[in-house]
Amino acid sequence: MNSSEQCDVLIIGAGIIGVMSALYLQDSGRRVTLLEREGVAEGASAGNAGILAFPEIIPMAAPGVMKKAPKWLIDPLGPLSIPPAYALKIAPWLWRFRKASSPRAFEHGLSVQKTMMKLAADEMQRVAAMPELAHHISNTGTLDLYDSRASFDAARGDWDEKARAGFTFTRVGRDEIETLQPGLAPQFQHAMYSPDGLQVGDPQAFTRAIADLVIARGAILRKGEASGIAMSGDRAIVTLANGQIITADKVIVACGAWSKPLAASLGNTVPLETERGYNTTLPTGSFNLTRQLYFNDHAFVVTPLSSGIRVGGAVELGGLHLPPNFRRSEALLKKAGRFLPELKTKDGKQWMGLRPSMPDCLPVIGPSRASRSVIYAFGHGHLGLTQSAATAKLVTELVTEVDTSIPVDPFRASRFS
């Protein structure tokens, strides 16, 4: 790379949001350069569960959630954990999360997510129809499992909201559960079955397939780490960590959990935090898993991948730099072994990924404070894969300066000012 380079559209980050945006921007006629500090799909896009979770419209920041938090936090391996070394630093984010869980804020977030998920489902259907990508996505259906009648009934309001949003599901009892997924422990007597559940066979392979496609069509992949962005008129000047400079007509900031300092260089202070997700991928043949399983009372999932079975979930708010605590992966795997007694839990590969998370559970999508030539596309939490095509659609509409498919005002970076 030369010390100074010029390009049309520079996308910072080659995870699922970045490469999907490249795909859509190419379709609009723009010339794209991807800038990635590690490699395509080496971050959070590598190890997610592969679920296209369009029905997940209920924000985590919900009324009453703060009353549950102390119980969760008592268990360092429970569904929500904050390492003591990070507790003080996370406090401002938690305060904003608490505000977002008020009834009024929750209703706003729910409404926005319904609209976003409708667009996400429609756009991903378009992506899944592409011959180069179709084989990566399959319909497995989804079982949402509950430990008891009481916990099932407690979730009824969420299912009512999903029904009003147009999602299809059926309440099933033990006989139907055993038919849909043989081998579950007998404690699971209550579940919801969603026949439309879609699964990406391998999220890392899917992301890399999109990258290969856009590169074959003329996109450029550059290795480098962006350290700051400044404006010169309508053009963006991106400085790399090694001192090199790239000048671009448009810049898309899509580097996930590492997006915060780039936004700050443009005058946007965003409360972006890191939701550290853990999983274990077991070898093919570890269990005859036929569909996606949500263990809702324990905040983890078990999903069928082309490369094996992935057991993952829960939330650890611990920033970018603390070392992984793989006891969390081990705790999830131990539970999975109890819930699926025939599951072979040996020889798994552990992973920890850094999800970019906003306190109101909505991503940041839209122009920067400094210029409309720089577009943000980060902060999707655990919904990056699910909302990737919708985000790419909105980013492309912002770059090409046409009316957006849905309002982007709820996603603006300045909403936290």
Side-chain angles (χ1 to χ4, degrees):
M1 188 188 300
N2 297 326
S3 59
S4 181
E5 183 176 341
Q6 298 187 5
C7 62
D8 181 12
V9 181
L10 178 69
I11 301 175
I12 304 174
I16 187 60
I17 300 295
V19 301
M20 192 72 82
S21 296
L23 181 66
Y24 273 69
L25 284 160
Q26 275 189 335
D27 286 347
S28 76
R30 304 306 293 253
R31 291 175 288 110
V32 176
T33 299
L34 285 159
L35 178 69
E36 173 54 49
R37 68 190 188 95
E38 293 183 347
V40 174
E42 290 292 337
S45 297
N48 65 69
I51 298 172
L52 293 173
F54 305 121
E56 297 305 303
I57 58 174
I58 310 298
M60 289 178 62
V65 70
M66 296 305 291
K67 294 180 181 178
K68 301 176 184 177
K71 178 182 177 182
W72 293 336
L73 292 171
I74 289 172
D75 180 1
L77 301 178
L80 172 63
S81 174
I82 299 175
Y86 204 71
L88 187 60
K89 191 168 185 179
I90 195 68
W93 188 95
L94 289 174
W95 179 78
R96 290 184 182 275
F97 181 83
R98 182 177 181 275
K99 285 183 65 177
S101 66
S102 71
R104 181 176 179 181
F106 170 78
E107 289 299 330
H108 168 73
L110 177 63
S111 176
V112 173
Q113 287 287 34
K114 285 180 179 179
T115 303
M116 182 63 164
M117 288 299 201
K118 175 64 167 63
L119 180 64
D122 290 346
E123 291 302 315
M124 190 60 78
Q125 187 176 21
R126 171 176 174 257
V127 172
M130 299 179 67
E132 302 91 340
L133 302 174
H135 66 282
H136 287 277
I137 299 174
S138 61
N139 187 322
T140 62
T142 306
L143 262 179
D144 281 78
L145 297 150
Y146 295 87
D147 286 359
S148 66
R149 174 66 179 268
S151 62
F152 180 88
D153 290 343
R156 178 58 63 88
D158 291 352
W159 289 104
D160 289 344
E161 288 291 355
K162 293 176 184 181
R164 284 191 284 270
F167 296 105
T168 302
F169 48 84
T170 305
R171 179 177 180 174
V172 293
R174 180 64 201 180
D175 290 344
E176 296 96 329
I177 291 171
E178 184 63 26
T179 299
L180 290 164
Q181 179 56 68
L184 279 157
Q187 74 189 71
F188 298 107
Q189 304 284 328
H190 306 275
M192 284 290 194
Y193 174 57
S194 304
D196 301 323
L198 296 178
Q199 177 72 34
V200 173
D202 184 316
Q204 186 176 54
F206 178 58
T207 305
R208 288 177 173 172
I210 299 171
D212 290 344
L213 180 58
V214 299
I215 291 168
R217 293 177 175 181
I220 298 170
L221 177 63
R222 296 294 193 212
K223 184 78 178 269
E225 180 178 359
S227 59
I229 306 173
M231 300 306 302
S232 177
D234 291 333
R235 290 174 64 77
I237 311 298
V238 179
T239 302
L240 306 190
N242 64 3
Q244 294 175 329
I245 291 173
I246 301 176
T247 303
D249 292 335
K250 301 285 185 180
V251 170
I252 315 302
V253 179
C255 46
W258 288 268
S259 301
K260 187 173 183 176
L262 295 180
S265 71
L266 293 160
N268 287 113
T269 302
V270 292
L272 177 65
E273 262 301 339
T274 307
E275 187 183 315
R276 295 149 60 97
Y278 291 84
N279 68 47
T280 303
T281 304
L282 300 170
T284 302
S286 298
F287 184 77
N288 184 23
L289 185 65
T290 59
R291 61 193 76 255
Q292 303 162 351
L293 303 180
Y294 281 67
F295 293 98
N296 285 291
D297 294 328
H298 305 271
F300 78 97
V301 299
V302 180
T303 57
L305 302 184
S306 57
S307 55
I309 293 172
R310 185 157 288 169
V311 179
V315 174
E316 181 185 61
L317 298 170
L320 294 170
H321 305 297
L322 292 179
N325 176 12
F326 284 117
R327 289 187 303 156
R328 295 183 64 77
S329 297
E330 293 160 7
L332 293 176
L333 190 59
K334 187 175 180 180
K335 280 189 176 182
R338 293 204 312 268
F339 300 161
L340 299 164
E342 297 174 11
L343 179 68
K344 299 173 185 175
T345 58
K346 303 294 185 181
D347 302 320
K349 182 179 180 181
Q350 294 179 326
W351 178 88
M352 189 273 285
L354 305 172
R355 307 183 195 121
S357 188
M358 308 303 296
D360 62 355
C361 307
L362 297 175
V364 176
I365 304 170
S368 71
R369 179 179 181 181
S371 172
R372 298 187 69 83
S373 295
V374 180
I375 307 298
Y376 297 141
F378 59 81
H380 296 75
H382 59 283
L383 295 172
L385 174 63
T386 299
Q387 297 183 341
S388 58
T391 301
K393 176 76 168 177
L394 296 173
V395 163
T396 300
E397 290 166 343
L398 290 165
V399 166
T400 56
E401 299 182 355
V402 300
D403 291 341
T404 54
S405 299
I406 62 174
V408 295
D409 190 61
F411 307 116
R412 69 192 187 284
S414 61
R415 68 186 188 264
F416 301 103
S417 300

